[in-house]
Amino acid sequence: MGHEQNQGAALLQMLPLLWLLPHSWAVPEAPTPVWRDDLQNHTFLHTVYCQDGSPSMGLSEAYDEDQLFFFDFSQNTRVPRLPEFADWAQEQGDAPAILFDKAFCEMMIQQIGPQLDGKIPVSRGFPIAEVFTLKPLEFGKPNTLVCFVSNLFPPMLTVNWQHHSVPVEGSGPTFVSAVDGLSFQAFSYLNITPESSDIFSCIVTHEIDRYTAIAYWVPQNALPSDLLEDVLCGVAFGLGVLGIIVGIVLIIYFRKPCSGD
């Protein structure tokens, strides 16, 4: 009985703090006018999280679950996931609100976290990794490998790349974003110039339980760029010749005089 009262008292201490939560929470959706029924609904997700682990603090922004930015708290700036989003990342008008979120989240970890330690079950998801190329595969032409990590919770992970079992340096930052269902996903990028003998591996380690997921990438169904161009030219030429032959046959057929009975 005393244990239940202590747990309830700890939870009650959180209630006065809830009004401080920022504007990033969901609001009721306004009724859709009849004349806009044909428009699609979209979701912009602004997620702040903090945890007793690495990374200790995170913020991600996504549009329809496609991550746009993460926030680098060491530099107090947005980092675009793709170069196409770089111009939008310059917007800093909401920096005071983000810093407030950071301070509030850290205060919750420091003051409320120890009181609830061991009293709330810890949910965990085993990460799933897969690797693919950002652009169609052509040998000898620069490309980017993408390591996509799903089913991630909590978002404590490290991502390492290997080439023929040898560690690879120079990979970009790992982008972590929230998705529906209180889980997370992550992206890691590695710039390469693919060759036919390549074997790359993406090694994802879930820091909370040291679970490791490994995804391999080897070139498949690829053509060297010169051969690809020759094949496309050959196909186009063949279709052109076939079209000419079919046209001649149809002309001869329709110009043939009909035989009378």
Side-chain angles (χ1 to χ4, degrees):
M1 183 67 178
H3 173 74
E4 293 179 354
Q5 290 178 347
N6 292 337
Q7 183 176 359
L11 293 174
L12 286 175
Q13 293 183 23
M14 298 178 61
L15 295 180
L17 300 174
L18 294 180
W19 70 273
L20 293 173
L21 293 178
H23 57 274
S24 58
W25 297 93
V27 296
E29 184 178 355
T32 303
V34 176
W35 59 277
R36 300 185 67 179
D37 284 345
D38 57 335
L39 299 182
Q40 296 181 349
N41 293 324
H42 299 279
T43 302
F44 179 80
L45 194 61
H46 174 99
T47 305
V48 179
Y49 63 91
C50 56
Q51 56 192 356
D52 188 13
S54 178
S56 60
M57 190 77 197
L59 184 157
S60 71
E61 293 172 320
Y63 181 75
D64 286 348
E65 298 192 5
D66 185 14
Q67 186 183 17
L68 304 176
F69 317 101
F70 82 91
F71 197 84
D72 183 352
F73 284 95
S74 64
Q75 302 292 329
N76 288 332
T77 184
R78 281 181 172 85
V79 178
R81 184 172 69 88
L82 295 175
E84 290 81 357
F85 306 148
D87 292 340
W88 296 349
Q90 304 305 315
E91 174 59 39
Q92 299 294 330
D94 59 347
I98 292 176
L99 295 179
F100 174 86
D101 292 350
K102 178 178 182 290
F104 177 77
C105 203
E106 290 175 339
M107 183 270 293
M108 292 282 287
I109 289 291
Q110 296 170 3
Q111 299 186 12
I112 306 299
Q115 301 181 41
L116 300 180
D117 187 23
K119 300 175 182 178
I120 297 179
V122 178
S123 298
R124 298 179 182 178
F126 295 107
I128 301 171
E130 58 180 306
V131 180
F132 51 88
T133 56
L134 191 62
K135 297 182 292 186
L137 176 60
E138 295 183 52
F139 293 129
K141 288 192 175 182
N143 209 325
T144 301
L145 288 181
V146 182
C147 184
F148 172 61
V149 184
S150 59
N151 196 42
L152 178 64
F153 190 88
M156 301 179 188
L157 81 161
T158 56
V159 178
N160 295 290
W161 290 88
Q162 292 185 353
H163 182 227
H164 292 292
S165 300
V166 177
V168 176
E169 302 294 336
S171 62
T174 300
F175 295 84
V176 178
S177 62
V179 296
D180 290 342
L182 296 179
S183 64
F184 291 81
Q185 63 185 13
F187 294 88
S188 179
Y189 298 88
L190 180 67
N191 293 325
I192 66 169
T193 300
E195 299 178 357
S196 58
S197 60
D198 282 336
I199 300 178
F200 283 92
S201 56
C202 173
I203 303 173
V204 180
T205 303
H206 202 201
E207 294 297 337
I208 193 172
D209 51 17
R210 305 306 297 176
Y211 175 85
T212 300
I214 303 178
Y216 294 93
W217 180 85
V218 295
Q220 293 181 347
N221 302 324
L223 291 174
S225 57
D226 293 340
L227 178 58
L228 178 61
E229 294 175 0
D230 293 342
V231 170
L232 292 177
C233 290
V235 170
F237 179 78
L239 291 175
V241 173
L242 180 61
I244 294 174
I245 295 175
V246 172
I248 294 174
V249 171
L250 291 176
I251 292 175
I252 295 175
Y253 177 80
F254 284 108
R255 293 187 62 181
K256 182 179 180 181
C258 298
S259 58
D261 293 337

